[in-house]
Amino acid sequence: MTCTIFYTTEMPNDRAQVSGTAPRKPMRWAVEYLIKTPDGRTLVESTKTIQRATFEELRAIMDHTIGAIGDEAGNIASFVSWRATARGGRSKRRARR
């Protein structure tokens, strides 16, 4: 099972794009995010692992993280995007040995 969430400020209705099946239990998430400022600076964090968060908790964690980074950049961002991926679990179709 793999679940990927992609969010950008340019998406309509402030909704994230989700592909895969959302995990039922808290999972570790690998996160990448990108913030661009009007003066042309780009802040990129390629990997950050969030320990054991549910699908619903992830959005709140990312809002807080982006807010903290925004404070460092002067709270002026022209573009924000992030992608979170969780992998794991068992496939119901996999045969047990």
Side-chain angles (χ1 to χ4, degrees):
M1 170 207 66
T2 298
C3 180
T4 301
I5 304 168
F6 178 71
Y7 173 80
T8 179
T9 53
E10 295 179 350
M11 295 186 114
N13 301 326
D14 198 35
R15 299 183 85 180
Q17 178 183 1
V18 179
S19 50
T21 305
R24 292 182 299 234
K25 296 180 180 180
M27 299 288 292
R28 292 179 58 171
W29 294 87
V31 178
E32 303 170 349
Y33 53 88
L34 171 80
I35 300 173
K36 292 184 181 180
T37 59
D39 62 359
R41 291 188 319 168
T42 302
L43 305 169
V44 178
E45 178 69 34
S46 60
T47 55
K48 178 177 180 172
T49 302
I50 297 173
Q51 297 290 331
R52 304 250 180 222
T54 64
F55 183 78
E56 292 80 19
E57 293 171 334
L58 181 66
R59 178 68 186 255
I61 291 169
M62 286 309 298
D63 285 345
H64 177 72
T65 302
I66 296 296
I69 294 168
D71 290 342
E72 293 176 16
N75 286 324
I76 300 174
S78 58
F79 177 81
V80 174
S81 72
W82 56 267
R83 178 185 316 271
T85 304
R87 292 187 176 99
R90 287 191 177 188
S91 173
K92 292 180 182 180
R93 295 182 211 163
R94 188 181 306 164
R96 291 187 179 183
R97 295 177 187 194

